[in-house]
Amino acid sequence: MNRRIGTSWTVVLCAWTLASWISTGVATAADEGSIRGTVTDPQGAVVPSATVTLLRDGKSAGAATTDTRGEFTFQALAEGRYQIEAMASGFESRTTDSMFVGSTGRIVTQVPLQIGTLQQDVVVTAAATELVQGQTGASVTVIDANTLASLNKLDVLEPLRTVPGVAIVQTGGRGGGTSLYVRGGNSNFNKLLIDGVPANDIGGGFDFGDLATTGVDRIEVLRGSNSVLYGSDAMTGVVSILTKQGRTKRPEFTYSIDGGNLGSMRNDLSIGGAANRFDYFSEYSYFRTDNDTPNNRFRNGVYAGRFGVALATGTNLSVTVRRKDSDYQSPNAILFYGVPDDSSQTTGYTTVGATVQSQLSDRWHATGRFSTTNQRYHFTNPTPSGEAFDPFGFGANYLGKDVTIVGANGATVSGRAILDYGGTYPSNFDSKTTRQGLNGQVDFHAASALDLSGGVRYEHEAGFTADTPEPDITRNNAGVFIEARAGAARVHVTGGLGYEHNEVFRSNVSPRVSLAVYLNNPASSAGNDSKLTMNAGKGIKAPSVFQEQSSLFTLVGTRADSLGVPPTGAERTKSFDVGIEQGFAKGGGRVRAAYFHNEFDDLIEYVNKSVLPQLGISPAAANATQFGAYVNSQSFKAQGVELSGELQAGRELRVTASYTYLDAVVLKSLSGGVLSPAINPAFPNTPIGQYSPLVGARPFRRPANSGTLTASYSKGPAQVGISAAFVGRADDSTLLSDGFFGNSLLLPNKDLDAAYQKVDLSAAYRFHPMLRWYLSVENVLNQKYQAASGFPALPAAVRTGVTILVGGNRTP
């Protein structure tokens, strides 16, 4: 898509947003300030005779009872912020977030009640509009503010460990590169949204190693493809992170300071509140640690902000900002070399989103969003580390110490690996990517059991592989989608179709359907309902900047047509899952079991020029490359079972647990020496994939067995929590070359990474409404383990500190 078309889309979206504001003003000018709403149960059925209280500043400003259609109305309201509190026999009471009502106009809202103490969350990633979990069959896990507080983690990767079907692999200590694998997919198969803003690098990659919990109010994880709504990158999952919102009438100021072993120290400052039409929140944190190995210092400064204004009754503008700057010293896989590398890297990103939501009428709702993401990366290796070694007279490479490497599979090798290669030092690498997007969406409440949505999206991407003013690549991509949601007492269906036009892979259509069927009547089951779920869909992903630049199509240039080389295609997945959920303890508990099956095709991999003809590529095209090129030639599948359960015992105790079995296998691949795999003479009968798994083997760093357990207990001013991750063996590679560029330091891939357990403890005590003490101990058992082969994880890491709170009022 060219810039002219992209500009046209921009004009259309801006005109649509302006029309939304104008139509809102026209539609509401004749109405006095009012709130009309419906009280529903978790499945969306109306709740008649519910008691509804209108709250302003925490005090009652009116009362009503829902009619036979579950509806209520409050009219002739003075301008200000209001909340709705609803309660009914057999349900837990619920209080909504505050909403601004002007002197004219009407707000239409829905208040979903829940049965039992186990919270039924409203989710935002499963469909085009918000849905209560009971109304969707999608596999969604919500980590809310209370859970985040009880875990007391600094990094988003830690609460993500508790999600079923998710594997987290961090290379070493804090700040080390961290990959997120969902249901066996690659780490760049997940869409990351921060306040609705896509935060992935071009091509889907994202390093979770320095993503802090600063300012985070809620994390939502959808497992399964959803390229209908999110376009490229949503291959196996969507991670949505929402920033806190100011809610208190009096400004709330907090300051936290803590420290611990490994040279760790953190300062955190926040302020937030809500005044009439405006709400605001800002938080800044700075964390430092030396970690546990030489040359492994980590510094991370993070700012998160959210600012909102009610433009009119039912029309709101929200602006969010997140800025991160980190500095990380990278010692490399020190267990393989015996000495640390002296490399370091600095990274930074900024995400900004501006979202307008407008209630056009009782049935129509519109949303428009502008977003921008900027990422930069600088890596430097100032001097070669290790001992110079030049056996061939072509220039020295630099070796680590003589080490012995032992795999969890029992295999052992000894020797010296190349730590740094010869060349010019300091050795630097710089990259930068920018993404700007416009999204527009319209929702229509067609009937009590039918909702329709449609939307458009446009995105401009630019990638820089050096510190230059002009980008190496630019892309103008666009997409449209339609979605329908239908629901009755026992059946809920969501289905949609998305069309994506990407400058690299041209056009693609992605369908998705989600189904939830209740086997018994939820209204009479008292929370002990049984639900069948099913989801199916397709996902797509575009190549990264480097993959596009080094693709066969790009390298052969203008000769592509004459050589018969097609453009780089989209990476694709087909996903399917089916499951059953059972409520128990009168809505206080829930267990789930699900089977998932993912097929990944047309994956991009680097193929040596001598192997390219195996794909049917002409020798002339293969020889047009210097060494090889990226092509769509790999595929694998991943299937497995997720078991999970949660229990809320009263208000004090909450327990969750999960187990995931993953069976993943590479079906097709030409990279990593598949046609001529690496052979270590110490294991003459064992072919080894040096840089990627072999056909018939498991993908690297994805354990076949994993589990989680969390428990939190709070009573009065005291709180204590425990979280544990249990990770089984995984295939991997040492990725090493010896001093003669040989394979003597490669170990068999199968079960190379050992199983491990990571158990964390947290505690807190509020001595005074203005003073809270807290404690966090990670790896409390002080286990020595390697999540990624060669990279030692941290020993027991202790932090303790206090939070001072001034101001605030929990009833805005």
Side-chain angles (χ1 to χ4, degrees), residues 723-769:
S723 62
F726 308 95
V727 181
R729 291 185 178 186
D731 288 9
D732 205 344
S733 172
T734 62
L735 308 172
L736 298 176
S737 294
D738 60 33
F740 300 93
F741 296 95
N743 302 326
S744 65
L745 289 172
L746 293 179
L747 287 176
N749 304 124
K750 184 174 176 58
D751 292 337
L752 177 60
D753 295 340
Y756 65 90
Q757 302 83 43
K758 182 178 185 291
V759 181
D760 303 334
L761 175 70
S762 64
Y765 191 87
R766 187 174 295 278
F767 291 97
H768 184 273

Side-chain angles (χ1 to χ4, degrees), residues 313-336:
T313 300
T315 299
N316 300 285
L317 169 65
S318 177
V319 176
T320 58
V321 180
R322 190 172 185 90
R323 171 73 183 177
K324 182 271 298 182
D325 290 283
S326 68
D327 184 352
Y328 177 72
Q329 293 180 323
S330 177
N332 210 319
I334 190 169
L335 297 182
F336 289 165

Side-chain angles (χ1 to χ4, degrees), residues 403-423:
V403 297
T404 296
I405 303 172
V406 180
N409 49 23
T412 301
V413 293
S414 296
R416 303 178 71 184
I418 298 177
L419 173 56
D420 278 334
Y421 289 90

Side-chain angles (χ1 to χ4, degrees), residues 124-127 139-141 160 163 166 180 182 189-194 196-198 200 208 219-241 512:
V124 298
T125 56
S139 299
V140 184
T141 297
L160 288 176
V163 178
V166 167
L180 170 73
V182 176
F189 286 1
N190 311 296
K191 191 83 169 186
L192 175 65
L193 303 171
I194 299 178
V197 179
N200 302 77
F208 284 84
I219 304 171
E220 190 172 309
V221 182
L222 168 70
R223 304 184 297 285
S225 302
N226 199 347
S227 284
V228 171
L229 297 181
Y230 305 109
S232 184
D233 305 337
M235 294 262 284
T236 55
V238 178
V239 179
S240 175
I241 295 174
R512 180 176 179 269

Side-chain angles (χ1 to χ4, degrees), residues 402-654:
D402 200 320
V403 297
T404 296
I405 303 172
V406 180
N409 49 23
T412 301
V413 293
S414 296
R416 303 178 71 184
I418 298 177
L419 173 56
D420 278 334
Y421 289 90
T424 302
Y425 288 84
S427 175
N428 299 316
F429 176 77
D430 291 274
S431 69
K432 182 174 68 173
T433 58
T434 64
R435 305 177 77 167
Q436 288 88 36
L438 280 169
N439 298 68
Q441 178 177 317
V442 176
D443 310 305
F444 176 56
H445 183 60
S448 59
L450 178 63
D451 292 276
L452 304 172
S453 295
V456 296
R457 53 179 174 266
Y458 166 76
E459 185 173 54
H460 174 74
E461 300 175 325
F464 307 72
T465 55
D467 190 12
T468 57
E470 294 297 322
D472 296 280
I473 66 165
T474 59
R475 301 176 189 168
N476 294 289
N477 313 315
V480 298
F481 79 90
I482 56 173
E483 184 183 85
R485 297 168 302 282
R490 295 199 185 192
V491 180
H492 298 270
V493 182
T494 299
L497 195 68
Y499 168 80
E500 189 80 7
H501 183 92
N502 186 282
E503 282 202 0
V504 177
F505 59 74
R506 304 299 184 256
S507 300
N508 187 88
V509 175
S510 300
R512 180 176 179 269
V513 63
S514 179
L515 175 67
V517 179
Y518 285 87
L519 302 181
N520 52 1
N521 187 348
S524 60
S525 66
N528 298 330
D529 56 89
S530 303
K531 183 172 75 169
L532 295 178
T533 63
M534 187 279 291
N535 300 275
K538 292 184 177 181
I540 54 173
K541 190 181 79 64
S544 68
V545 174
F546 185 74
Q547 287 174 332
E548 182 181 349
Q549 286 185 313
S550 303
S551 69
L552 182 62
F553 180 78
T554 300
L555 292 178
V556 301
T558 57
R559 301 193 304 168
D561 288 340
S562 62
L563 293 173
V565 176
T568 304
E571 298 183 279
R572 306 175 189 277
T573 183
K574 291 187 291 186
S575 67
F576 170 79
D577 66 71
V578 60
I580 185 169
E581 300 182 11
Q582 178 63 52
F584 65 95
K586 296 183 179 180
R590 198 163 194 86
V591 293
R592 303 176 180 88
Y595 165 78
F596 61 86
H597 182 95
N598 299 320
E599 296 180 6
F600 306 102
D601 296 304
D602 298 328
L603 304 185
I604 298 173
E605 61 176 348
Y606 186 83
V607 177
N608 187 279
K609 63 186 298 183
S610 64
V611 181
L612 285 172
Q614 300 292 328
L615 294 172
I617 294 169
S618 67
N623 291 328
T625 70
Q626 184 175 5
F627 302 107
Y630 282 98
V631 291
N632 298 91
S633 59
Q634 189 182 68
S635 66
F636 71 95
K637 69 177 181 179
Q639 60 183 340
V641 175
E642 291 174 0
L643 306 175
S644 63
E646 51 190 328
L647 174 67
Q648 181 77 47
R651 303 294 179 185
E652 294 82 16
L653 178 64
R654 180 181 172 87

